[in-house]
Amino acid sequence: MKAPIIRFLLVLPFIVSAWGIAAQTDALEPNWDRSLALRAVNRADLEVRLKPLFQMARAGESAALLGSLLAIEQDPGLPAPARDYLHFRFAVGLGDLDPNTVAPAVLEYLSTYEARTLIAHEEYPDVAVPLFNIPAAAAGVRNLWEREQAARQAQELLEGPADSWVNAYLAANRTARRGFLDALELASDAELGELGRAALARLDKQPELTLMVARAGLKSGDYDLLRQSIERGSGPELPRALQAAARELRAEECIGLLDHALRLGSDTKAALAIAHLGRARLHEPAVQQLLFDALSDRELGAAAALALGTSPDPEVQSRLHEIASQESGLAKDRAALAIQSRRADGEAGS
């Protein structure tokens, strides 16, 4: 019984959302001590109550399932932490089932569940937050199922024209688009090439295709397609495309893309490339040289300095100190900035 509790508590900080703080602050105060609440959960035999809930969910018996959840919520024989925990565990566990396994009414019930176990917020002791945030867990399941359904739709659309796939991607919301991107993992290189080129033709007017084009280039190994996604892409998806490239490219490809971005004539794109590609490969001598060369650039010098300042390489730090003490002009000032930022980071971490 203890292991599942520990596992869920590890993810609890990410599940407790802002609405929990806002909803409880004005009217409610903490009513449970955290350790006492967890002790109450540990004392209850809850696994035996969870099993039939999932059996009913898999069997599609949503009416009976709702009745059982309501009975648990109103069971005076269970302490409030145990009741909340059962609902939380069930809500999280729904994510392991196929999309729409249960009727919408079940998720709606979980989404509006009012937690009885309220503990003090770690930073604001007078603020009450739910120990087990059932509505947040239900929202996570909704998003997961929507993403999975979108991925299935995207896989089916791969059999049709590339433009139809791109149109469906553009029409999807943010969660569904993630599902479409998931589907690219299963697409062939030929399919990825068609999709990437179809989207690239529309990228200048629809920058929301930036990440999709980049993913198609990365997954198919079409380096030119990837470069064009960075060169012609824009907007909030450009940093995500660079992050993906930094994660998945080989060292020489990452260095080449960074060099290409620095030559595009766009200070914004160059700075983003330094932040993502440069920092990801900061241990590479070629990347270090590109950044040292950029120190004297009026627009990019600060970005290069901040990146170099994060390097633990003694040779990099020694070179920065040499530039800061012997040279003049922008490079000297930027080297000093790099040294100062590293010193500040060290003091903050001590």
Side-chain angles (χ1 to χ4, degrees):
M1 188 64 220
K2 186 174 294 185
I5 295 175
I6 294 174
R7 183 167 65 252
F8 285 116
L9 287 176
L10 288 175
V11 301
L12 192 58
F14 304 99
I15 293 176
V16 175
S17 57
W19 77 264
I21 298 176
Q24 306 293 347
T25 303
D26 295 334
L28 300 175
E29 296 180 354
N31 58 11
W32 274 87
D33 173 79
R34 181 188 179 91
S35 60
L36 291 177
L38 294 178
R39 198 176 306 166
V41 172
N42 276 321
R43 283 199 300 262
D45 185 11
L46 302 182
E47 294 298 324
V48 69
R49 290 176 175 263
L50 276 170
K51 185 176 180 179
L53 296 178
F54 286 113
Q55 288 175 338
M56 285 182 277
R58 292 188 180 93
E61 300 172 355
S62 294
L65 175 59
L66 270 174
S68 296
L69 289 170
L70 283 167
I72 291 172
E73 180 183 359
Q74 299 168 5
D75 188 346
L78 282 174
R83 282 178 270 163
D84 288 355
Y85 177 72
L86 278 169
H87 283 79
F88 180 74
R89 276 287 306 277
F90 177 71
V92 172
L94 284 177
D96 295 328
L97 305 183
D98 290 336
N100 299 324
T101 297
V102 298
V106 176
L107 276 184
E108 184 61 27
Y109 164 77
L110 294 170
S111 298
T112 58
Y113 183 94
E114 293 186 10
R116 274 68 171 176
T117 311
L118 305 176
I119 62 171
H121 189 275
E122 290 184 0
E123 297 181 7
Y124 307 98
D126 294 332
V127 175
V129 294
L131 178 58
F132 301 110
N133 196 331
I134 294 91
V141 172
R142 286 184 192 274
N143 289 337
L144 177 62
W145 283 356
E146 183 177 3
R147 182 170 176 171
E148 290 178 355
Q149 286 181 301
R152 293 178 185 178
Q153 178 192 2
Q155 289 175 32
E156 294 173 357
L157 288 172
L158 285 174
E159 300 176 3
D163 279 331
S164 296
W165 197 99
V166 175
N167 287 335
Y169 177 85
L170 289 170
N173 61 26
R174 183 176 180 180
T175 299
R177 285 183 182 178
R178 291 177 179 174
F180 271 71
L181 295 177
D182 292 341
L184 296 182
E185 302 288 336
L186 302 176
S188 67
D189 287 351
E191 290 169 334
L192 289 167
E194 290 181 13
L195 290 173
R197 287 188 293 273
L200 183 63
R202 303 160 69 168
L203 189 53
D204 294 333
K205 294 183 178 180
Q206 294 175 303
E208 60 268 36
L209 289 170
T210 298
L211 180 59
M212 183 255 146
V213 177
R215 296 298 306 168
L218 281 169
K219 289 302 169 184
S220 65
D222 189 333
Y223 186 67
D224 182 62
L225 186 61
L226 172 62
R227 285 201 310 176
Q228 290 194 62
S229 74
I230 305 303
E231 184 174 337
R232 296 170 55 182
S234 60
E237 290 201 346
L238 184 57
R240 295 177 61 196
L242 288 166
Q243 288 170 6
R247 223 174 23 243
E248 300 179 29
L249 287 179
R250 296 191 298 269
E252 60 272 19
E253 294 171 335
C254 194
I255 294 168
L257 187 60
L258 173 60
D259 186 40
H260 178 70
L262 292 175
R263 299 173 187 273
L264 288 177
S266 168
D267 296 332
T268 299
K269 291 182 180 180
L272 285 172
I274 289 173
H276 297 292
L277 301 175
R279 292 197 183 199
R281 297 288 180 175
L282 194 52
H283 57 283
E284 299 285 348
V287 170
Q288 295 171 5
Q289 188 57 52
L290 285 172
L291 297 183
F292 274 110
D293 290 344
L295 281 179
S296 57
D297 187 285
R298 185 171 299 277
E299 302 300 333
L300 300 179
L306 292 175
L308 287 168
T310 65
S311 173
D313 189 335
E315 293 186 9
V316 170
Q317 296 304 316
S318 175
R319 188 173 174 184
L320 286 170
H321 279 82
E322 182 180 351
I323 295 173
S325 62
Q326 296 182 4
E327 298 191 16
S328 59
L330 285 175
K332 171 185 174 69
D333 295 339
R334 298 301 168 48
L337 172 64
I339 295 168
Q340 182 181 3
S341 67
R342 180 162 183 80
R343 186 179 297 121
D345 289 341
E347 292 174 354
S350 62

